[in-house]
Amino acid sequence: LSSDAILTNVAQGLSVFEQQENERAYAALPLFHSFMQSCVVWGAVAVGATVIIVPHLERRSIKEGFAHNPTAVFGVPGLFGLFALMKNLPFE
């Protein structure tokens, strides 16, 4: 994507997700994907929020990410299905 396209995606993402400076966004999807990079990472950076990056989709990394108490979890249905199959995650 061009720089203009990335900035447009960031602006569009912020208009939908309304991230704020005190947010802690949980990023478990691959960073090469435009949604994760534009809406989550660059969107958080644009407002001064924190990004919790989960380096691998494995139980230990997922749980370590949740230990940072995210205020927003971004994902796709398959990721949320994986969370539902895992026990002892710190949310209901």
Side-chain angles (χ1 to χ4, degrees):
L1 295 174
S2 69
S3 297
D4 287 340
I6 291 170
L7 292 175
T8 299
N9 283 348
V10 170
Q12 291 170 336
L14 289 174
S15 72
V16 173
F17 298 118
E18 300 178 12
Q19 292 187 55
Q20 298 178 1
E21 162 179 320
N22 62 342
E23 298 282 353
R24 289 181 308 281
Y26 186 87
L29 294 175
L31 294 177
F32 63 78
H33 192 278
S34 61
F35 169 70
M36 185 55 56
Q37 198 172 106
S38 297
C39 296
V40 181
V41 175
W42 292 120
V45 168
V47 298
T50 300
V51 181
I52 302 164
I53 296 177
V54 177
H56 306 285
L57 273 184
E58 60 186 22
R59 184 174 186 77
R60 173 189 265 164
S61 296
I62 290 170
K63 289 184 80 171
E64 286 174 359
F66 278 112
H68 294 282
N69 300 314
T71 58
V73 178
F74 297 88
V76 295
L79 181 64
F80 294 115
L82 175 63
F83 293 162
L85 293 173
M86 292 179 64
K87 294 183 180 181
N88 302 321
L89 287 180
F91 60 90
E92 297 177 30

